[in-house]
Each structure stands twice: as C-alpha cells, then as structure tokens.
Amino acid sequence: MDKQFLKESVQQGAVAFKAGKMDRRAFLTLCAMAGVAVSAVARGDAHAAANQIILWNWGGSSEVCHGQYIAEPFTESTGIGVGFDTSGPLQGKIKAMVDSGSVTADVCDADAFDAIALGDSGHLEPIDYSVVDKAKVLDGFAWEYGVSIIFYGYAFMYDTEAYGDNPPNSWADFFNTAEFPGKRSLYKWANGSLEGALLADGVSKDALYPLDLDRAIAKVKTIKEDSLYWGSGSEAHSMIVNGEVSMGMVWQNRGKAIEDDTDGRYKLVMNEALAMPGAYIVPRGNPAGRDAVMKFIQTAQDPKAQLGLLDCLGMTPTNPTAFGMIPEGQKAYAITSAMNIDKVVYNDPVWWGANSEKAVNAFLEAIS
Amino acid sequence: MILPFLAVIAGFYIYPIANVLWLSVVEPEPGLGNYAALFDTESLRRIILTTIRICVVTTFFSVLFGYTIAYAMVHMDQRKQNLMLALVLVSFWISILVRTFSWLMLLGHNGLLNNGLQAIGVINEPIAFVRNELGVLIGMIHYMIPYAVLPLLVNMRNLDMRVMRASQNLGATGTQTFLRVYLPMTIPGIVASTILVFILSLGFYVTPAILGGGKVLMIAEYISVQILITLKWGTAAMLATLMLFGVLGMLYVMSRFMKLSAVFGGGR
C-alpha cells in the first residue's frame, strides 16, 4: 500500500516536473523520499512514467502476462510505454479516483457491469469505435463505455473420490446436498452464486434475467448450513486444495491449476458455467489521453494477444477470430471454445450494473 | 513552531473525518435517511449486533487471559518477567495476516490439530474450528491478549504490595486478600484494558473475513463492501460515524479511570 502510494507520488511528480509545474529540487526530494535512486531518475525511468499508459489490473501474474502479450506489442508499434497499478480496480476505487480529480490510471481491467454502472454515473470515457473494432468482439459485448477483451467465468469443481460413478454435472446437482452430500463453497459477493441458484431451481438459461432475487436467495439459503463463502481466487483455490469442500465454485480460469494441484482428484465442470465478460474501461480524464489509450485497447483485441492471455492467465478470448485458434490443451477450460460455447450461460452486465447494490446486500444478508 | 504540525493534522486527519461525517448526511440525498435506515433495516441491526456480540466475547476472554498473564508476570523474578514480556511483545508485533493464516494452518480442515487427532484416532471427521464464528473468536482473542496484558501490567506494577501483606497480617486468607484487596485495586487496569480491547475489536476486518468463512460479517467488512462494491457511500459513512462516536464515548469513559497516555504505552 505504502509502496504503491510512493510509486504514484513519484509518477505524479514526474508529470508535474515535466509540465514545469514542479521545480527540480522538489522533484528530487520527492524521489529521495520515495526511495527512487536519483541515478534512475537521471536515466529517465521516472520521466518515462509521464509518457505511458497505466494499466490498472489485479496483480499476481497478470502484470507479467499483460506485459508480455499486450504491453510489448503496443510499445513496439507506438513507442508508448506501459506501467502497471496492480491494486485492483474495484468500482468504488475508480469512482473515488475520478471524483478526486487526480486520475492516475488510463485503462482498467474491470468487469462489464462496472462499465455500465460507472458509465451511467459519468465516471468513464466513451470507447472510440473508430479505433477499437466492434467486429473483433463477440456480438453484444461492446458497450458505449467499455469493451470486453476477455471472458472469465463461474464454474464448479467436484471431488471425484466423493462422487465416484455418479459425478455432478449441473448447478442442480451442486445445490442438491441430499444426493451429493458434502460441503460447498460459493462466491461471497453474489455474482455467479445467484445465477447458479436460479438455474438449479429450474429457471431456464434464456429466462435468467432479470434475476428473481427472492427466489435465488431462498435457494442459496437451502444449502447455507453446508456452505463456505470465498472472497478471492486464492481463497477459493485453497478451500478446494485443502479438502474443505466436496464441491466448490471457482473462477473457471483457475480450474486447470486446481486439477493439477490435486493430481486430478478435483474436476472442473464447464456445463452451465456463467460467462463473465471482463471489460476494459477508461476513467474520465485519464492522464495519457484518449487516443493513446484507445490504441492500447485495440492492441488487446488482437487474437495473438488474447490467446497469449489464455495461455498465461486462463482468460478466454472475446474476439471470434480467436475462438477457432484455442489450443487443444485449453479447449476444456476456455469459455468460448467450440467444446463449451454452447454450454455456458452469459452474464447480463446491464442487469448487474443497475442492481448490484441490491443483489450484493441481499446475498450478504442471507449468508451472514 | 507547532502551527505547521497543527495544519498537517487538520489537513490530513480532521478534514477527511469531517468529510466522512458530511457524506453520511448528504449521500445519496441530504437528510438523515442513512441514520433512519438503522431503525428500519433489519440486516444493519443484525450486523451491528453480531459485531457487538463478537467484541464482547473477545473482550471478556482477552481480559481474563490477559489478567492471568499479567498477574503471573508481576509475581515472577525479573529474569522470567523479561522473558514473558518479550514473548508477549513478539506476538504483539507479528502481522495480523500472518497470525490469521497461521490459525488456518493449525486448526483448518487439513490442519495440524485435526490431522494429529485423526492420526491418533480421537476423531474420525475433522472438527470445524475455523471458517465459522468460533474461528473468528479464536483469532481475535489471540490477537487481543497482548493489548489486554499491557495496561494491566502497568496497573499491577504500580500497586503497593505492602497493602497485601497488611491484609494477610490481619488474618485474611489468600483468596480473601485477592478478592477484597488486590482485585479492587486493579479495577482501573481492568477497565482500561476492557475498553481498549473492545474498541480495537470493533474495527476487525481481516480476521473475520478469513476465519469466518464468509458467514461472519462485522461492521468493518460491511463498510468496505459498501464503499468498494455497492457504492453506498452514505451507508458506509453513517456506520463509520457511528463507530467513531461510539469509540470516542468509550475513550471518554476510559479517561475517567486512567490516564490515556499510560494505557497507550506512554509514561506511567
């Protein structure tokens, strides 16, 4: 946190210094306070900070993966550098950043429902579709204030030793603790958990939205005694790997890693997986300006970049050209592979953008 | 000379707090709507009650264990006393995240204790020590014990031990001396550590989030969700304001019993 703060201070300082709004001595003092070597500043590392796109993502290996598959080709073709803020662009943080007037990120690796909610409240720059190509996105996943680059999803994994010859294959099985006894884990902040509950309760894929919140909550409560709830991917991962649950909801991109970590004891079920469109969104008044950031997003639409992210992060491409190019080993895990694309259920970000407050609080109330 | 520092405090501390107070009455619309929600929203009341219940239990056991430890310490020779103080301080300084995850490893489904008990055949199924309210309480009490020990230690060290000898001289038994002389003299320490532990417990976030398995929702985590995810900043600010004034009220009570500087580790 402190490191992040200091890094941002220096980047801000570098911008002010370049614009002539801060004198040299003050800038050097700032660098010294932040522990940035003056030699590094003299070499221009911090200067470069003023001339780059800052991608705000979720840390972990995403910095390396985004760096290799989007940032490198982007810098090669435009000469503009790419920096990272890995603190996680939650809606509240983006809103606070834009409201405070000191925007330090250019593009956020966010959710599509963030694009709807924050776009409506005036916190985002519209996407420039003369640069970003709508044809390179699966139909329906390009919005005014955000464009989907990857899909991730909510699927579940089960213990093959617990269920043997009769493995679970749907959310109905997941919620059926009579026939499939054992502990469950679900996502703590409602997304995916509500959809899974409704599908289990017999709602058809096409009639899912608008979500019947009361019905979903009632279904979630039926397995409350047997449920744990996770808030982060690593928590979901460890609940399964440590054997705490017999069936666990996960972010599908972790499926392969968990199968490997448990030597295949736990298996991913992609049937009825809930496909979540991620979205690249641009905070209003982003420091690098609109043109540069739109070119950056355009780079991320390239099938090569998206297949790279699939390999590196398990995130599934949204560019239809890339669907057929998904490598054999990833087909079972990818949302838009020929194997899975007809089995998944797409999340409706417009409903979530408008109703997430109600849904999250109702869910929290039900589980706590 | 003090003026610039006052400005720093005003700018970086008082202004943001005032801002939070302000948000609680203007978001999403001006008025006391956020506070009214306290009375007609059942879930808010339940979260507050859960928080208070957990804090009361945590405080009770932390002070009980803390009292025992402090009592043992003041009755040991200097060398052992230093050793114990060092042990208390070491656990005091270890990061809360580390301590929380350690409990998960020790008491978890596949943890040391469950595996050990299963190996020697005491139990067949792992016992659910964590991912529930019990886990939250274990984690919080363990974290809070040093905070309970330190004010009590200060208090007990300053007692005039001649009074106890006088009591025994006048024919009181050991138990009588403890209950009727020693215990009353340590009440300021008990009150101070009770209030200190209670106040700190109110703000717990990491421990309930990890050891509670998502089922134990306390105010701090709820505030964070309202700010970061649901964007109900008014509700969050209202709860923060409520906690702020609750804590200030308790500090006022504490200041009647003990000099605040002594509690927070200043001179005695």
Side-chain angles (χ1 to χ4, degrees):
Chain A
M1 200 69 181
D2 289 346
K3 222 173 106 195
Q4 186 63 35
F5 170 73
L6 288 171
K7 206 169 97 190
E8 280 169 13
S9 308
V10 173
Q11 284 170 358
Q12 286 289 303
V15 174
F17 176 52
K18 251 195 121 190
K21 280 189 250 167
M22 185 188 270
D23 68 17
R24 187 179 156 76
R25 179 168 298 187
F27 178 54
L28 289 181
T29 311
L30 185 67
C31 292
M33 275 168 58
V36 175
V38 176
S39 62
V41 177
R43 268 207 319 275
D45 288 4
H47 276 124
N51 230 343
Q52 64 180 12
I53 295 277
I54 303 293
L55 171 59
W56 192 0
N57 65 17
W58 299 88
S61 45
S62 63
E63 189 171 350
V64 176
C65 301
H66 287 146
Q68 186 177 348
Y69 294 106
I70 308 176
E72 272 179 26
F74 172 71
T75 306
E76 221 165 85
S77 69
T78 60
I80 304 172
V82 176
F84 295 93
D85 176 344
T86 55
S87 62
L90 283 168
Q91 231 179 73
K93 294 193 203 167
I94 301 173
K95 176 172 145 79
M97 182 186 269
V98 174
D99 284 348
S100 76
S102 81
V103 177
T104 55
D106 294 293
V107 54
C108 312
D109 180 18
D111 270 292
F113 55 80
D114 298 326
I116 305 295
L118 290 172
D120 283 350
S121 60
H123 288 86
L124 302 178
E125 298 278 350
I127 300 296
D128 180 355
Y129 285 107
S130 66
V131 182
V132 178
D133 191 350
K134 261 192 183 170
K136 290 183 180 169
V137 192
L138 186 63
D139 204 20
F141 293 95
W143 305 272
E144 188 178 359
Y145 292 99
V147 56
S148 187
I149 298 298
I150 54 96
F151 282 112
Y152 66 99
Y154 293 95
F156 71 89
M157 305 194 67
Y158 68 93
D159 182 354
T160 53
E161 287 181 23
Y163 304 120
D165 298 337
N166 177 29
N169 189 40
S170 66
W171 290 112
D173 297 342
F174 185 92
F175 278 84
N176 183 351
T177 46
E179 200 176 327
F180 299 94
K183 292 259 181 212
R184 306 289 196 267
S185 59
L186 291 104
Y187 183 50
K188 185 153 100 171
W189 293 331
N191 241 304
S193 298
L194 292 176
E195 283 92 343
L198 286 175
L199 289 169
D201 211 29
V203 178
S204 78
K205 277 185 189 185
D206 313 318
L208 207 48
Y209 296 98
L211 296 184
D212 183 342
L213 210 47
D214 293 336
R215 186 171 172 185
I217 295 287
K219 188 73 179 172
V220 167
K221 280 185 174 169
T222 61
I223 58 164
K224 186 176 169 182
E225 292 306 311
D226 293 305
S227 299
L228 303 176
Y229 305 91
W230 50 267
S232 70
S234 57
E235 212 176 350
H237 193 124
S238 72
M239 279 177 179
I240 294 178
V241 172
N242 291 335
E244 288 179 66
V245 294
S246 316
M247 277 192 229
M249 181 185 259
V250 290
W251 280 320
Q252 128 287 341
N253 58 307
R254 286 204 177 238
K256 193 169 181 340
I258 296 176
E259 286 183 3
D260 292 346
D261 282 356
T262 57
D263 296 321
R265 177 168 168 175
Y266 282 81
K267 235 177 114 28
L268 182 71
V269 175
M270 282 301 286
N271 185 34
E272 298 182 337
L274 299 150
M276 299 290 298
Y280 276 21
I281 57 179
V282 179
R284 206 179 65 206
N286 68 301
R290 240 171 91 88
D291 293 346
V293 78
M294 291 305 151
K295 271 185 218 139
F296 180 84
I297 296 177
Q298 183 198 35
T299 311
Q301 290 192 298
D302 187 55
K304 235 167 61 192
Q306 295 194 353
L307 290 166
L309 293 186
L310 174 65
D311 181 54
C312 196
L313 288 171
M315 302 295 186
T316 307
T318 56
N319 184 341
T321 315
F323 294 175
M325 298 153 76
I326 293 172
E328 202 54 47
Q330 291 283 359
K331 279 184 181 160
Y333 309 96
I335 285 170
T336 50
S337 69
M339 234 173 115
N340 293 330
I341 195 163
D342 294 326
K343 291 195 240 163
V344 302
V345 182
Y346 292 101
N347 168 281
D348 179 1
V350 177
W351 188 87
W352 276 98
N355 295 289
S356 78
E357 176 232 308
K358 235 174 31 198
V360 171
N361 280 336
F363 190 75
L364 280 181
E365 190 185 332
I367 66 173
S368 64
Chain B
M1 277 308 277
I2 298 174
L3 219 58
F5 295 106
L6 267 180
V8 167
I9 296 230
F12 290 104
Y13 202 71
I14 296 178
Y15 169 73
I17 287 185
N19 205 356
V20 168
L21 296 184
W22 179 243
L23 271 183
S24 74
V25 288
V26 297
E27 272 267 341
E29 55 203 27
L32 293 175
N34 290 319
Y35 292 90
L38 270 183
F39 297 98
D40 45 47
T41 314
E42 206 249 320
S43 60
L44 274 179
R45 276 210 306 271
R46 207 177 60 204
I47 290 161
I48 293 172
L49 283 179
T50 307
T51 309
I52 292 175
R53 181 179 72 239
I54 289 177
C55 291
V56 166
V57 178
T58 301
T59 308
F60 177 79
F61 283 101
S62 304
V63 173
L64 185 69
F65 294 139
Y67 195 94
T68 322
I69 295 171
Y71 186 83
M73 279 169 80
V74 291
H75 290 86
M76 280 175 174
D77 65 54
Q78 195 59 45
R79 207 176 52 82
K80 282 192 192 136
Q81 205 178 114
N82 289 343
L83 179 70
M84 268 187 89
L85 188 63
L87 290 176
V88 169
L89 287 179
V90 163
S91 85
F92 184 69
W93 284 325
I94 294 176
S95 140
I96 187 164
L97 261 178
V98 173
R99 290 166 67 174
T100 303
F101 278 109
S102 307
W103 281 118
L104 216 50
M105 284 184 211
L106 284 174
L107 301 181
H109 187 84
N110 250 335
L112 198 64
L113 187 62
N114 270 324
N115 280 350
L117 289 178
Q118 277 172 303
I120 59 173
V122 178
I123 51 172
N124 291 324
E125 284 294 306
I127 300 172
F129 292 109
V130 291
R131 308 275 196 212
N132 51 28
E133 194 165 317
L134 175 66
V136 176
L137 286 172
I138 292 174
M140 283 180 63
I141 291 169
H142 176 244
Y143 189 83
M144 280 302 162
I145 286 175
Y147 289 91
V149 169
L150 298 177
L152 282 164
L153 199 61
V154 173
N155 177 259
M156 288 178 185
R157 273 192 180 159
N158 290 337
L159 295 183
D160 187 345
M161 295 306 284
R162 287 176 304 180
V163 183
M164 260 62 78
R165 261 172 261 142
S167 155
Q168 274 163 348
N169 226 358
L170 293 168
T173 63
T175 318
Q176 276 174 329
T177 305
F178 177 78
L179 287 179
R180 298 175 64 173
V181 181
Y182 196 86
L183 194 60
M185 290 203 320
T186 53
I187 281 179
I190 295 176
V191 172
S193 66
T194 300
I195 294 181
L196 179 66
V197 170
F198 190 81
I199 288 173
L200 291 173
S201 305
L202 280 176
F204 259 61
Y205 174 83
V206 171
T207 310
I210 294 171
L211 293 178
K215 290 184 277 194
V216 183
L217 188 61
M218 287 176 64
I219 292 183
E221 193 183 2
Y222 189 74
I223 290 177
S224 145
V225 172
Q226 302 312 318
I227 287 184
L228 293 174
I229 296 175
T230 63
L231 301 196
K232 283 181 77 178
W233 288 8
T235 306
M238 180 273 289
L239 287 170
T241 307
L242 209 64
M243 280 174 83
L244 178 69
F245 282 105
V247 165
L248 285 178
M250 280 182 276
L251 279 177
Y252 174 74
V253 173
M254 181 157 82
S255 71
R256 307 301 295 267
F257 283 89
M258 207 168 181
K259 265 171 45 192
L260 287 180
S261 61
V263 176
F264 292 111
R268 329 194 200 158

